[in-house]
Amino acid sequence: MKIVAIRETTLDMAEATRNAAVGFGRMTASVAVVEVETTAGHRVRGYAIDSPGRYASGAVLRERLAPRVLAADPAAYLDASGTLPDPWKIRALAMRDEKPGGHGERAAAMGLLDGAIWDLIGKLQDKPLWAVLRGPKLGTPQVPVYATCGFYRGEDDLEKLRDELERAVDLGFDTVKIKGGAIDLDADRKRIDAALEYLGGKAKLALDCNATMTLNDARLFLSAIADLPIAWVEEPVDPLDYDAHRALAAEFAVPLGTGENLYSAADARNLLRHGGLRPERDLLQFDIGLGHGLVEYLRIVAEAEDAGWLRENFVPHVGYRFALQVAAGLGLGRHEVGPFQRIAYRPAMAGACALPGDAPGIGWEADPAFASLFAALDR
Ligand code: MG
C-alpha cells in the first residue's frame, strides 16, 4: 500500500452570525483527502474536514506536512502488516523538523491528515471507525448529544433564538447550548431567561462564553446566573489562563467546560495540572481534529485517565462525524452537534443519542451534508 496523493481545498464557511467573541462573516475551513493505492491496485480515499469557527490551514498541509509523507518510503508509514497506514508513524513523519510548542494552525493541518488516515484505516478493514477503536463483538453504540445553537444574530435575535430552540427540541435534543457573556449582563440575563422559557423544561440549557471575559467579568456573569439551572458554562475565560479557571472552579458550583482551544497534550496537561477543574462535574472539550488529530487525543485521554478523569468527562468540540465515531469508539461523554450552522450537521438519532452507523471508516460519503463537500477533492 502506498499513499499517492494528499489534497486540500478551502471551503467558504461565512455566516451572518456572532458567537460571544467573534463574527463568522469571513470564516473558512479546510477539507482534505488522502488517497492510497493498495497492493491489489485499488484506489481508496480518506477524508477530513475542520471543525467550524476557525480558518483553513491548507498552506501548512500542502507546503510542509504532505510533502514529507509523500516523499517517504511506504515502509516508513505502514503498520507491521504492511497493509494499513500507521497513524502514529504518519504523525511523526509529517511533524519531522517542526519544533515543539506553538500549537496554532499547524495542529489543525496535522489533524486533517490524521483524520483522513483514520477514515482510510476503517475503509481498508471494511469497518466503521468506532468498531476499529472499540474492538470486535460490540453492538453499535449510541452517543448522547447536545445541540449548539443560539448564536447572536443582531436583528430579530430573540425570535431566531426561539425558533432554533424549538426546532432543536423537535429534533430530539435533550440538551442545547447557546452563547453567553458577549452583551451587557442585564440583556444577557434576559436572553438566557428567554431561552429557558422557550425550552419549557424539555431540554437542559448550557452557555458558551467563547473565552471572551476577564476573570472579574466572569465572576459577575456567573454570579448573575447562579440561581438558574445551567448544565455547564463553557470557556468563561481565556483558555490558557489556568489560574482564572482554578479561581472560578473554587468559587462557583456550576460545571465548567473548556479545552476546545488547547491543541496539544502538553497544553491539556497544564490545564489538568493547574486549572483546578473538578472530575466529578467539569467537561473536557478538546477538539480532536484541530488538536493534531486522534493520535494526540488518545494521549490526552490516557493522561487524563491517569489523573483521575473519566471518559464521560470528555465532550469534544464539534468534529462532526469524526468526533462522533471517536466518541462512540472510546465511550466519551457527549457529542456536539450544530444542526443549524453553515454545514447543517444532523446525524441519525435514536431519542437524544446519535448513531455512528455502519458505513466503513468515518462514513462521510453516507451523509448528504458532507458528501458534496468532498466532491471538489475527487479529481
Ligand atoms: Mg465552544
Side-chain angles (χ1 to χ4, degrees):
M1 198 219 77
K2 179 180 170 58
I3 295 173
V4 294
I6 301 171
R7 292 190 293 272
E8 179 275 349
T9 192
T10 297
L11 286 180
D12 178 5
M13 294 283 282
E15 289 187 83
T17 60
R18 295 190 64 80
N19 71 14
V22 299
F24 279 55
R26 292 181 181 272
M27 289 289 171
T28 57
S30 286
V31 289
V33 61
V34 176
E35 186 169 334
V36 299
E37 186 172 299
T38 66
T39 43
H42 299 128
R43 295 279 179 121
V44 185
R45 291 174 179 141
Y47 297 105
I49 181 170
D50 288 327
S51 285
R54 311 293 189 278
Y55 296 92
S57 56
V60 178
L61 182 61
R62 288 192 305 269
E63 294 173 11
R64 307 213 300 269
L65 309 188
R68 293 176 188 136
V69 175
L70 291 168
D73 187 302
Y77 56 72
L78 294 181
D79 71 356
S81 74
T83 60
L84 293 174
D86 181 321
W88 285 267
K89 289 182 181 173
I90 287 174
R91 158 73 193 255
L93 191 55
M95 292 287 285
R96 193 185 62 208
D97 300 330
E98 300 282 339
K99 288 183 178 177
H103 309 294
E105 288 172 345
R106 184 179 64 188
M110 183 62 235
L112 286 168
L113 181 53
D114 171 281
I117 292 294
W118 285 102
D119 189 25
L120 277 167
I121 287 170
K123 286 171 174 164
L124 290 166
Q125 297 179 90
D126 199 26
K127 286 183 190 170
L129 179 57
W130 65 261
V132 173
L133 298 171
R134 272 163 73 97
K137 296 180 184 170
L138 288 165
T140 301
Q142 301 189 355
V143 181
V145 289
Y146 75 91
T148 287
C149 36
F151 285 70
Y152 294 108
R153 293 182 191 274
E155 215 169 293
D156 301 327
D157 181 56
L158 283 184
E159 288 94 302
K160 288 170 181 162
L161 179 67
R162 176 176 208 145
D163 176 61
E164 282 194 352
L165 296 182
E166 290 179 351
R167 284 160 67 204
V169 169
D170 287 346
L171 287 168
F173 291 96
D174 66 0
T175 307
V176 300
K177 187 176 78 185
I178 67 168
K179 300 304 176 184
I183 51 182
D184 80 77
L185 214 47
D186 287 346
D188 219 25
R189 169 70 198 234
K190 286 195 181 100
R191 193 174 188 266
I192 294 163
D193 284 338
L196 285 165
E197 184 193 324
Y198 301 152
L199 290 172
K202 293 179 190 150
K204 293 184 193 134
L205 181 69
L207 302 172
D208 187 356
C209 304
N210 299 110
T212 192
M213 294 186 285
T214 63
L215 174 57
N216 200 43
D217 285 347
R219 283 183 168 126
L220 294 173
F221 179 80
L222 292 177
S223 298
I225 60 160
D227 60 322
L228 298 177
I230 299 300
W232 70 86
V233 172
E234 185 166 317
E235 288 201 307
V237 289
D238 189 281
L240 289 165
D241 191 339
Y242 305 133
D243 261 355
H245 285 86
R246 193 171 62 231
L248 296 176
E251 294 168 30
F252 295 93
V254 69
L256 301 175
T258 192
E260 70 168 81
N261 288 297
L262 303 181
Y263 295 155
S264 70
D267 284 337
R269 188 179 308 132
N270 273 330
L271 174 70
L272 299 182
R273 273 182 188 160
H274 307 297
L277 297 179
R278 305 152 295 185
E280 74 279 8
R281 70 181 70 183
D282 294 327
L283 284 63
L284 304 176
Q285 301 175 306
F286 310 111
D287 185 299
I288 302 164
L290 295 176
H292 290 98
L294 181 52
V295 166
E296 190 83 0
Y297 196 77
L298 290 169
R299 285 180 191 151
I300 294 172
V301 171
E303 285 197 29
E305 285 185 315
D306 283 347
W309 292 81
L310 302 173
R311 294 198 175 183
E312 293 91 271
N313 292 115
F314 281 81
V315 181
H317 176 248
V318 189
Y320 305 119
R321 294 196 58 84
F322 184 29
L324 172 59
Q325 293 282 343
V326 173
L330 300 184
L332 306 182
R334 209 176 265 277
H335 174 50
E336 180 175 9
V337 173
F340 313 121
Q341 291 187 259
R342 173 71 185 250
I343 296 175
Y345 170 49
R346 295 180 190 178
M349 284 172 58
C353 290
L355 305 173
D358 286 323
I362 292 171
W364 296 114
E365 297 92 329
D367 188 325
F370 298 98
S372 59
L373 296 180
F374 293 117
L377 295 161
D378 286 342
R379 57 176 190 266

